Amino acid sequence: GPVADAAFLDWLEANVDALVARDHCALHHAVRRSCEIKADVVARDEREADVRAILNFGHTFGHAIESQTGYAWLHGEAVAAGMVLALSLSARLHLVPQAFADRVRRLIERAGLPVRAPSMPWAAWRGWMRVDKKADDGAIRYVLIDGPGRAVVRAVDDATVLWGAEAVTVAR
């Protein structure tokens, strides 16, 4: 929803309780719509040259969390916390209002997923994120949200990322 379909994001908010309760109809719709979104993005970028990277929203931070914790976090947990960090960075860069970042964070939290990353020194974050597949010549590229249902991939300088990383990374 946040990366490619604002209406689906609205639907997720309205139906998160049914999803958490594992309501068959809600799950069917969520999985189907997620697959449709992914198929559309992949069809537009079969060779992973451009837009397909938006499917990795939250993964740059999430993979660092997985690596730093020795994979003690489930992939979905790490990516959820990574999405919150990416949203925070998006707001800091004025791509979205802070209210939007908070809205999606509340949705992730309502789904029972972590919204705070484990504490780790910036050197660890940077080291793990430099090996992310979206890194390019040492520059760390992040999937950021630049409006409801819209994502961009952008390199961001360390100082900007660090300024927010210290504030949002606390023990789980």
Side-chain angles (χ1 to χ4, degrees):
V3 301
D5 187 346
F8 184 49
L9 177 60
D10 293 342
W11 183 91
L12 288 167
E13 281 182 304
N15 292 278
V16 68
D17 294 332
L19 291 166
V20 170
R22 298 190 177 158
D23 175 81
H24 178 74
C25 290
L27 287 171
H28 181 267
H29 178 73
V31 170
R32 180 179 178 165
R33 185 64 193 126
S34 296
C35 289
E36 290 169 350
I37 292 168
K38 183 172 183 174
D40 178 62
V41 170
V42 170
R44 288 187 282 147
D45 185 14
E46 292 181 20
R47 302 206 191 282
E48 290 192 66
D50 187 28
V51 71
R52 190 168 173 173
I54 69 169
L55 297 174
N56 291 309
F57 174 54
H59 284 70
T60 302
F61 290 110
H63 289 154
I65 292 167
E66 288 175 315
S67 297
Q68 180 69 19
T69 63
Y71 296 88
W73 286 40
L74 297 174
H75 180 68
E77 293 173 331
V79 171
M83 289 168 57
V84 173
L85 288 167
L87 281 158
S88 176
L89 183 57
S90 299
R92 197 166 331 104
L93 294 169
H94 305 290
L95 298 173
V96 295
Q98 184 62 49
F100 180 78
D102 293 341
R103 172 187 170 199
V104 179
R105 181 195 45 77
R106 283 190 302 273
L107 174 61
I108 292 167
E109 193 168 39
R110 285 179 58 205
L113 294 165
V115 294
R116 298 212 183 260
S119 291
M120 67 175 107
W122 174 244
W125 279 109
R126 189 170 192 336
W128 292 120
M129 291 189 299
R130 283 182 65 103
V131 297
D132 185 83
K133 70 180 182 178
K134 289 176 301 307
D136 185 26
D137 288 332
I140 301 170
R141 297 174 52 220
Y142 301 87
V143 179
L144 303 171
I145 303 300
D146 73 346
R150 291 191 326 261
V152 295
V153 180
R154 179 181 294 180
V156 180
D157 64 275
D158 288 350
T160 301
V161 179
L162 176 60
W163 181 74
E166 293 298 322
V168 296
T169 56
V170 297
R172 181 171 168 207

